[in-house]
Amino acid sequence: MRKKVGVLVSGRGSNLQALLDACADPAFPAEIVLVISNIPGVFALERAEKAGVATLVIPHKGFPSRDAFDAEMDKALRAAGVDIVCLAGFMRLLSAGFVESWRDRMINIHPALLPSFKGLHTHQRAIEAGVKLHGCTVHLVTPELDDGPILVQAAVPVLATDTEDSLAARVLEQEHQAYPLALRLLAEGRVTVEGNRALIRDA
Ligand code: GAR
């Protein structure tokens, strides 16, 4: 049985597209059953609709608290029978209760080689720090921001001529490879967590 995936988005959804493309192969061990956006009208929603996947807009602004907003998302994910949640450019902090209830079943992609450059503006900060390698990380989500056991990382060189945009584009190409791979590992049940480490069977 393919694992059922819910994807949370806030924007253009290129990582969602990479996941949709991977799931289009019937041999892939997961299928996307629901895409939720906290922002109306974003391109990610169009991508989902085009792929025939159910979408839901839950605008965070309409809720009195983070807990109330998260509870609404949780309800929708469970109603859709979701097994695994993927955060794909979802730009909202999640409450500890929501994170806890999806523990070891929720993954995030971050545009940096964690634990370096948590938070925002990662590419500009990498250039300013003078690092020679930068990249992306897919990790299990824990209550701490941009933390949690790492499933997949991919590195790219930082060139002397790089701008924030050129570096972002090079990293994004890797994101689109890394995210489907991480989802596959989790969906195939090959991940076990020991402390801060995710151990991958037959990596
Ligand atoms: C991606 O680069 C993703 O790594 C980043 O937002 C972008 C979303 O692009 N996520 C974060 O910064 C999360 N902290 P996309 O909507 O085209 O997938």
Side-chain angles (χ1 to χ4, degrees):
M1 250 297 251
R2 301 172 93 195
K3 295 283 187 220
K4 292 191 170 145
V5 175
V7 185
L8 308 189
V9 298
S10 304
R12 72 185 161 184
S14 71
N15 278 291
L16 167 66
Q17 190 67 58
L19 296 175
L20 287 166
D21 292 348
C23 291
D25 177 355
F28 194 78
E31 61 176 323
I32 299 174
V33 296
L34 179 63
V35 171
I36 301 178
S37 173
N38 64 314
I39 315 262
V42 294
F43 191 53
L45 291 165
E46 272 181 50
R47 295 181 189 268
E49 280 155 20
K50 202 168 168 201
V53 171
T55 61
L56 193 59
V57 177
I58 306 180
H60 61 273
K61 285 184 178 157
F63 289 84
S65 67
R66 194 178 296 285
D67 282 346
F69 169 68
D70 288 0
E72 191 69 18
M73 286 199 301
D74 192 69
K75 205 168 78 182
L77 291 165
R78 291 185 196 280
V82 164
D83 303 301
I84 295 172
V85 176
C86 291
L87 309 181
F90 183 69
M91 304 310 266
R92 292 284 303 165
L93 293 175
L94 294 164
S95 58
F98 182 89
V99 172
E100 200 47 56
S101 72
W102 290 96
R103 196 180 183 87
D104 297 343
R105 296 188 298 142
M106 178 157 63
I107 56 181
N108 178 46
I109 186 149
H110 181 73
L113 291 172
L114 292 173
S116 293
F117 308 118
K118 297 178 178 184
L120 298 174
H121 310 299
T122 55
H123 308 304
Q124 187 59 32
R125 286 161 58 212
I127 290 170
E128 281 165 14
V131 295
K132 302 301 182 211
L133 285 175
H134 184 46
C136 62
T137 303
V138 186
H139 63 97
L140 290 164
V141 177
T142 54
E144 200 83 8
L145 177 73
D146 298 331
D147 207 65
I150 291 170
L151 300 181
V152 174
Q153 290 187 301
V156 301
V158 181
L159 308 180
T161 51
D162 265 329
T163 62
E164 183 177 11
D165 286 350
S166 67
L167 184 55
R170 192 174 309 116
V171 172
L172 195 63
E173 272 181 37
Q174 295 303 313
E175 292 187 40
H176 297 161
Q177 305 295 316
Y179 214 173
L181 171 60
L183 177 57
R184 169 187 287 281
L185 297 174
L186 192 61
E188 286 178 345
R190 289 163 60 188
V191 177
T192 47
V193 177
E194 276 186 16
N196 287 330
R197 300 170 74 205
L199 306 178
I200 317 276
R201 191 162 29 85
D202 303 327

